[in-house]
Amino acid sequence: MFNVIVNNSKGERIQNFHCPVSECTIGKARDNFIQLRGWKVAPHHAEIHRTSKGLFIEDKTGQKRIEVNGEDVDHHGQIRSSDNIIIAGYYIQAGMSAS
């Protein structure tokens, strides 16, 4: 299990998500665990997955539409709580759950 916090571009918290499985998808399609709105958000934009080495994020658009610490990436990991992840103007933080 891991946690994902989503803030808007003003830094206001939108929602906390507790991902109960090893993979959580992000995008505007209804079948995503984390749904984001906006024309810049792809239907299946990204995926955060947990491995024995930690959390990783992967772009699912094929166009490097994820920014981590100021750099456009197609994948990034291990995710640290201090990483600044931006998806279409949303600020994302991810971290492992305590248990």
Side-chain angles (χ1 to χ4, degrees):
M1 178 188 278
F2 58 95
N3 298 313
V4 178
I5 299 170
V6 179
N7 296 317
N8 66 17
S9 61
K10 296 177 183 176
E12 300 165 335
R13 183 157 300 164
I14 294 174
Q15 194 162 0
N16 294 333
F17 296 92
H18 302 286
C19 299
V21 294
S22 61
E23 299 175 345
C24 286
T25 57
I26 301 170
K28 68 175 150 188
R30 291 182 183 224
D31 62 344
N32 287 292
F33 186 80
I34 299 173
Q35 279 188 276
L36 302 177
R37 296 181 180 192
W39 64 272
K40 291 183 180 181
V41 181
H44 297 97
H45 203 109
E47 180 179 278
I48 298 175
H49 54 273
R50 181 187 56 159
T51 70
S52 60
K53 296 181 180 183
L55 295 177
F56 295 80
I57 189 165
E58 181 179 353
D59 172 72
K60 292 300 194 179
T61 68
Q63 299 174 358
K64 292 187 179 180
R65 294 172 61 190
I66 299 172
E67 185 179 309
V68 179
N69 301 326
E71 185 176 329
D72 292 333
V73 298
D74 56 6
H75 64 280
H76 177 81
Q78 302 171 300
I79 296 173
R80 298 181 306 260
S81 60
S82 61
D83 285 337
N84 294 312
I85 302 169
I86 301 173
I87 297 176
Y90 290 93
Y91 292 80
I92 312 288
Q93 289 180 295
M96 299 293 271
S97 297
S99 56

